[in-house]
Amino acid sequence: MGAAPLLATRIGSDLHGVQLLAECARWGLDLQAVQHDNGRATGTVQVRLQADGDHHFEIGSDAAWDHLDGAALLQALQGDAPTWVYSGTLALRHPVSRAAILGAVDRCIERGASCFVDL
């Protein structure tokens, strides 16, 4: 869409993390804010189609993305402020990641960025 997003997430040292990095690199995403967690797995969501056509989502708990390091995220945001800060609500479910993201959002708003939360 013409923007240069900074991907801020935390992944495990596992096959899912390797695959995620490869796909993000293929799309040209800036990966400097991707954190690596040697103790937790990369987060996953299982999507199951039900007989009635609805979807059921099983979101794994206590994954790497639930433990985003706020200090490291703020360090990655040094320099030019992004134009937009985007977050999904899933990233806000764990207190550690919620504090990291809200701190980053506050910093970016102070520097003139707009925010978008995907509900």
Side-chain angles (χ1 to χ4, degrees):
M1 296 173 58
L6 175 68
L7 177 62
T9 192
R10 190 171 178 94
I11 60 172
S13 298
D14 52 28
L15 181 58
H16 290 298
V18 170
Q19 291 171 330
L20 177 68
L21 285 179
E23 193 63 21
C24 290
R26 186 174 78 83
W27 283 93
L29 292 175
D30 183 341
L31 303 176
Q32 72 175 345
V34 175
Q35 301 173 10
H36 298 265
D37 191 317
N38 292 322
R40 293 179 186 86
T42 301
T44 60
V45 178
Q46 299 293 321
V47 182
R48 291 185 174 67
L49 182 60
Q50 298 177 314
D52 63 2
D54 283 341
H55 295 89
H56 174 74
F57 298 90
E58 276 185 45
I59 302 165
S61 62
D62 201 35
W65 63 19
D66 291 317
H67 297 273
L68 195 60
D69 181 325
L73 179 55
L74 290 176
Q75 181 66 32
L77 290 171
Q78 297 299 318
D80 293 335
T83 305
W84 283 90
V85 177
Y86 165 88
S87 176
T89 54
L90 182 59
L92 302 173
R93 71 185 180 146
H94 193 282
V96 173
S97 285
R98 181 172 48 248
I101 291 167
L102 293 178
V105 166
D106 285 346
R107 171 78 55 88
C108 290
I109 288 173
E110 289 170 1
R111 297 165 78 189
S114 298
C115 294
F116 177 80
V117 179
D118 183 355
L119 301 176

